[in-house]
Amino acid sequence: MKPMLEVNAVTVRYPGRTVIESLSFSLAPGQIGCLLGHSGCGKTTMLRAIAGFEALDDGEIRIDGDVVAGAGQGLPPEARRIGMVFQDYALFPHLNVADNIGFGLRQLSAGARTERVDEMLALVGLAGEHHRYPHELSGGQQQRVALARALAPKPRLMLLDEPFSNLDAELRERLGHEVRDILKAAGTTAILVTHDQHEAFAVADVVGVMVDGRIRQWASPYALYHQPVDRYVANFIGEGVLLPGIVNDRAQIEFELGVFSGQVPMHCKTDGCRVDVLVRPDDVQHDDASPFKAAVLARAFRGAEFLYTLGLPSGQKVLSLVPSHHSHVVGEEIGIRLEMAHAIAYVRE
Amino acid sequence: MPFAIRLPRPSRGLLYTLPVALLTVVPLLVVLSSVLDPQVEVWAHLLGYVLPGVLWNTLILVLGVGAGVLLLGVPLAWLTAVYAFPGRRFFSWALMLPLAMPAYVLAFVQVGLLDFTGPVQTLLRSAFGTSAWFPQIRSTGGVILVLSMAFYPYVYLLARNAFLTQGRRAVEAAQTLGMSRRRAFVSVAIPMARPWLIGGVTLALMETLADFGTVSIFNFDTFTTAIYKAWFALFNLPAASQLASLLVMFVLLLVVLEQYGRGARSYQVRSGHAERIALAGMARWLAAGWCTLVLLLAFIVPLVQLLLWVHDVWADDFDSRYPAFIGRSLLIAAMAALLVTLLALVLAYARRRYRDGGTRWLIRLATLGYAVPGTVLAVGVFIPVAWLDNVLLAALRPLGYEGLALFKGTLAVMLLALAARFLAVGFQPVDTAMQRITRSQEEAARSLGLNGRQALWHLHLPLLRGGLLSAALLVFVDVLKEMPITLMTRAFGWDTLAVRVFEMTSEGMWDRAALPSLFIVLAGLVPVVLLIRKSEP
């Protein structure tokens, strides 16, 4: 299937630095992508370049096969047929909900416009709220109006710029799923920009971890967590520690908590290569029968589970996530066992 | 494929801002360039007869009014911002009312009241006999007092703003560290408010340097009256522009100071509704009494006196000439308001759209006129227009044109000078409204399929409506009050309310000056009420 969005080797420079460096990715129709990274990694610039608010220094961007931007030139934003949801929602304060949503529908007849506005209000769960003004709405409702406004003109591509960052944590999670459902119901291809991996995982089918203007890994949330391509992604996504180990002659990895087969770095097939093994908290199981012992250094209660910080005899620390009915006190020694089908290791630096 | 536009867009901000900036820059350059062309006889005359007195007077006036507005404005601001006393709520807004009264109106009312023949001295004489001593109102002290009463609201407004937003927590911190409240005021609150105080004082001093009406009523020679005399009494244009160039340099000094004060101000969120300190015993009545006294002298007594005079002369004086005075005043004020609002919109839009340094600087230059006295702008606009007239007339003569002037003495000259003077007044509210439109709102409009022009129409203009209206209103009222530009650039016989005030006061007919003044004061109340509503939480 022809991709809906293609970003080909795009480079954007600001005076004195390169913000986006030869970045490429694509989205299939209906797919929801996400650019995930710390502030300053270039993710917002990339989004704005797709929207037409930033010029490219190199590369090209295609939407539905049409080139919308090339080096130093591009269609103006209004001609790209995209929809955008902004961090601050950018609702128009002088217009009510219905007029905000109808803002991009000026070319429709009055009847068709009303119909589309009603349809959008129903889609975002605000049916009947036509006449309220943005300042009368809660943050979550404003967010939904912003989404409805962007979806109303049936954009080829939806861009969401940190759309949940102004909401409190609980609402953020719920709205993330809601937005995903709405986008999927509308069948819209979308790209989300965020620094929050929970948001990324809740909304996106595919996530790109961005660092310094490049994508380190472009993969499903599951793959990002379980098979991070490098130690940066491993540290950035989820919790976990890297424990030192050595590759043995059977291409297995030996380290303090056992011997595991798994994914060994390409240029580290040799016997005795020094690596770091990624150990996630959910890999570390409590097992009193285990020969491996660890002392509880700290514990954080998370409701359904405890996150223990455990000290190994070598002085290394690991994290362990256990159901909260397993309560251990700080200082207690417990047996642990690694439950890893597939170890991930990186060359020791 | 053919692309609609090239990105990045080269800055076309200069295209919009340069023509507007010329309005201010040309008069300033014309006036300043006369320094480069010093004419010996002119300077000999100025140095011998004019400058020593004018320089001394100006210096005294600046120092005196600077001290006066601080002494009046800062304590009033502190009282109403920090303490609770009877009438505090009323005084906190009412103390801004004197802004509605042009300084020249306050001046002639005070002179009329306190002069030898005025009601106060007459009353004293009838009570204590002819030997009763009374300070001379037409004196240096008198001018300083009147101007301080007219301009203290600038300091009051800004200082109060500072005390409400800045100092409160810091003063409390100082008190927990063992400082008395009074010491904390002097060593914490005042230093923290310094940028605001500088802003208020420089605004008051700019008005002082620009003042023409008050000093002429007091026969107190300053640059503005000297320029006016050189212009009208001596018909000496070079002398007028030399004097104007000197005045401009004083003013630019103030501009630098004012810009510093503005840059050093950092706005914080108002820190909730802090508890006011209730004054006890005598202190509360002293506080209320002081506020009452200032309000009485600076606003209520003058207003009542105006009303009394108007009552006396109304039947005789309000005749068929008045509709013409009022009509011309309203016409020129409306035209200037419309022009300035349009230009302000252009500037604010350019500033929003083009963020390059050139555009920013041109906007600064364009809005410099608020600091430049009207007398200077009148000279600076007249000279190039007269030159243009001569060039055009010379060109038209062979074609059989016999006229003596094309633009000279037309409304256009007056309008240009007024627009230059009040552009900043109009720009400020429009720009504030423009800044309230977020960049993402603009981008949202673009992403919803609107091009730049459509966005201006459907997004910017509706959201700017309030700002545009207040810009027009503020300029309208300022032009109504304006005196020197109107006097110096109007066409012969084109008298407005302010001109009428000037003519009556120069003949000492205070009661007949009261009638046009009352119209001006009533109009002036409108923007002050708006300001009060905006500044009160």
Side-chain angles (χ1 to χ4, degrees), chain A residues 105-119:
Chain A
L105 303 173
R106 287 165 311 111
Q107 69 282 23
L108 296 188
S109 70
R113 184 160 57 221
T114 312
E115 197 177 312
R116 181 76 180 148
V117 168
D118 289 345
E119 194 183 326

Side-chain angles (χ1 to χ4, degrees), chain A residues 200-258:
Chain A
F201 290 180
V203 181
D205 301 317
V206 57
V207 177
V209 175
M210 272 190 79
V211 190
D212 296 335
R214 297 164 183 272
I215 289 182
R216 281 288 174 89
Q217 188 169 4
W218 178 257
S220 71
Y222 185 89
L224 281 183
Y225 187 78
H226 290 288
Q227 285 149 17
V229 291
D230 59 20
R231 60 176 66 229
Y232 179 89
V233 177
N235 277 321
F236 185 70
I237 301 288
E239 288 163 313
V241 293
L242 290 165
L243 290 182
I246 282 179
V247 178
N248 67 17
D249 54 359
R250 280 160 298 155
Q252 287 174 315
I253 305 158
E254 297 184 11
F255 67 107
E256 196 172 354
L257 294 172

Side-chain angles (χ1 to χ4, degrees), chain A residues 48 52-55 67-68 70 72-78 80 82 84 86 88 90-94 103-104 106 149-150 153, chain B residues 1-8 438-452 454-455 458-460 462-463 465:
Chain A
R48 293 171 56 79
F53 299 124
E54 299 276 351
V67 179
V68 296
Q73 53 190 355
L75 282 177
E78 63 267 24
R80 293 191 183 192
I82 44 117
M84 189 153 176
F86 294 83
D88 59 0
L91 296 179
F92 304 128
H94 60 303
F103 195 85
R106 287 165 311 111
R149 181 180 69 180
Chain B
M1 64 178 287
F3 285 110
I5 55 164
R6 262 193 73 83
L7 296 166
T438 63
R439 217 156 269 288
S440 55
Q441 282 168 344
E442 289 176 344
E443 290 173 355
R446 299 297 294 275
S447 72
L448 290 166
L450 274 70
N451 63 31
Q454 291 166 325
H458 291 285
L459 178 71
H460 294 94
L463 284 174
R465 202 166 46 195

Side-chain angles (χ1 to χ4, degrees), chain B residues 187-317:
Chain B
S187 56
V188 177
I190 293 273
M192 282 184 79
R194 197 180 296 144
W196 281 260
L197 300 185
I198 290 176
V201 172
T202 45
L203 283 178
L205 292 184
M206 283 170 186
E207 292 287 347
T208 304
L209 286 183
D211 174 80
F212 169 77
T214 309
V215 289
S216 11
I217 287 163
F218 278 84
N219 277 327
F220 188 81
D221 280 330
T222 62
F223 276 105
T224 52
T225 51
I227 292 168
Y228 183 78
K229 279 180 197 157
W231 177 278
F232 272 120
L234 310 171
F235 299 104
N236 189 341
L237 203 53
S241 67
Q242 299 286 359
L243 285 166
S245 68
L246 276 178
L247 179 52
V248 163
M249 292 198 230
F250 276 101
V251 162
L252 291 182
L253 214 67
L254 280 182
V255 170
V256 172
L257 204 62
E258 204 253 337
Q259 292 288 334
Y260 157 76
R262 203 179 285 200
R265 265 176 254 163
S266 63
Y267 285 95
Q268 292 175 357
V269 184
R270 199 175 279 243
S271 49
H273 274 283
E275 277 298 302
R276 288 177 189 284
I277 299 150
L279 289 176
M282 267 309 269
R284 54 203 301 255
W285 297 111
L286 277 177
W290 175 242
C291 292
T292 311
L293 185 69
V294 173
L295 190 62
L296 269 178
L297 291 181
F299 189 72
I300 295 172
V301 167
L303 186 63
V304 169
Q305 181 60 62
L306 275 185
L307 287 169
L308 289 176
W309 276 330
V310 167
H311 175 78
D312 289 346
V313 300
W314 174 267
D316 295 332
D317 213 34

Side-chain angles (χ1 to χ4, degrees), chain B residues 69 72-73 76 94-110 113-114 144-153 156 290-306 521 525:
Chain B
V69 290
L72 278 176
L76 288 173
L95 285 166
M96 293 186 224
L97 286 175
L99 278 179
M101 194 166 289
Y104 57 80
V105 173
L106 188 64
F108 82 76
V109 176
Q110 298 289 15
L113 270 172
L114 301 175
I144 289 172
L145 192 69
V146 164
L147 287 179
S148 299
M149 281 198 288
F151 300 141
Y152 84 83
Y156 170 76
W290 175 242
C291 292
T292 311
L293 185 69
V294 173
L295 190 62
L296 269 178
L297 291 181
F299 189 72
I300 295 172
V301 167
L303 186 63
V304 169
Q305 181 60 62
L306 275 185
V521 172
L525 275 172

Side-chain angles (χ1 to χ4, degrees), chain B residues 123-187:
Chain B
L123 197 71
L124 285 176
R125 276 196 303 275
S126 66
F128 302 104
T130 47
S131 62
W133 178 86
F134 196 82
Q136 174 60 259
I137 177 71
R138 289 212 218 199
S139 61
T140 309
V143 191
I144 289 172
L145 192 69
V146 164
L147 287 179
S148 299
M149 281 198 288
F151 300 141
Y152 84 83
Y154 291 110
V155 175
Y156 170 76
L157 195 63
L158 278 160
R160 189 174 136 79
N161 195 334
F163 293 146
L164 282 175
T165 57
Q166 302 288 299
R168 201 64 76 78
R169 289 280 168 272
V171 167
E172 283 168 6
Q175 283 180 293
T176 64
L177 296 169
M179 229 178 227
S180 74
R181 172 160 292 275
R182 190 169 314 160
R183 271 203 58 204
F185 171 63
V186 174
S187 56

